[in-house]
Amino acid sequence: MTEAILAAEVAETAARAGGAVLTRFQRDKRELEVGYKDARANLVTAADRESQRAVTEIILTAFPDHAVDGEEGTAGNPDAANVWYVDPLDGTTNFTHGLPFCCVSVALRSHGATVAGAVYDPLHDEMFVGVRGGGATLNGAPVGVSDVARLDRALVVAQAQTVDADEIRAYARLVERLMSVTGGVRSLGSPALTLCAIAAGRLEAYCEYAMDAWDILAGQLILAEAGGRLTLFDGRTHATADRADVVASNGYIHADLIDALRDLDRRG
């Protein structure tokens, strides 16, 4: 536990360092240098890159023998058993439009298990931290999921970031299904912060296809420590750093949500 607590402290410090970069760019967007990883949907900016550099510096100063696997590149020891997964700006599109729903996400996996994570929303100064077996907090205070136990009363997030026609159709089918069984569907644009919102009782569930480790690992740990669940679409445990189709919830509605999605064919 002591090692996990130390890792969580480093994750928080690193996430704050990344958040300071984002705050600076938010004040002066002339330096953003917006580019695209695809035709129109997947943005990258100077803020992403500089935030990752700031996060990486904190991590590798504290743990020089560890590895960093981030959305904007890798660093450190490529053979390390301790790997930090970093999304330096989760919600880049929101950020570039001035929509205040974005964050820095930092998680440590040690020998195949996520042991610590921090998700920082610098625009609202909200720091979510999770320690494996040690609970989840928001700005130092414990958080817990909502007690909503009916799927038809649940507020659910479903989102996609793609230019692929098949994936767009799959997302449309997912939203149609969710709108037919839940109390409401939203698309917020930041998976890590969405998972933390479930952990804090602000939402009940979240569904998305093809999520990378840096998007969800910190939020997954924080959610689990707050009493929620994240699984694959068929209900199986998601315990790796592999890309995956994921369903997360407050736990109370999870079985019903999985049942509602069971025959949904992503491939059409």
Side-chain angles (χ1 to χ4, degrees), residues 158-160 164-182 185 207 209 233 260-268:
Q159 52 199 33
D164 181 271
D166 290 337
E167 293 179 359
I168 291 169
R169 283 190 288 270
Y171 172 66
R173 289 191 294 272
L174 173 61
V175 171
E176 181 181 23
R177 179 64 57 84
L178 289 171
M179 290 189 73
S180 70
V181 296
T182 70
V185 179
C207 308
Y209 294 125
F233 265 60
L261 300 175
R262 195 170 299 280
D263 65 343
L264 196 63
D265 188 352
R266 176 181 172 184
R267 296 158 299 186

Side-chain angles (χ1 to χ4, degrees), residues 119-201:
V119 173
Y120 183 50
D121 172 359
L123 304 183
H124 298 97
D125 192 25
E126 290 194 331
M127 174 65 74
F128 296 87
V129 177
V131 179
R132 188 181 186 195
T137 59
L138 166 55
N139 291 346
V143 292
V145 297
S146 77
D147 60 1
V148 174
R150 289 179 50 173
L151 189 58
D152 64 351
R153 298 293 185 266
L155 183 59
V156 180
V157 169
Q159 52 199 33
Q161 182 172 283
T162 182
V163 297
D164 181 271
D166 290 337
E167 293 179 359
I168 291 169
R169 283 190 288 270
Y171 172 66
R173 289 191 294 272
L174 173 61
V175 171
E176 181 181 23
R177 179 64 57 84
L178 289 171
M179 290 189 73
S180 70
V181 296
T182 70
V185 179
R186 302 291 183 269
S187 180
L188 300 180
S190 172
L193 202 52
T194 295
L195 290 169
C196 291
I198 302 172

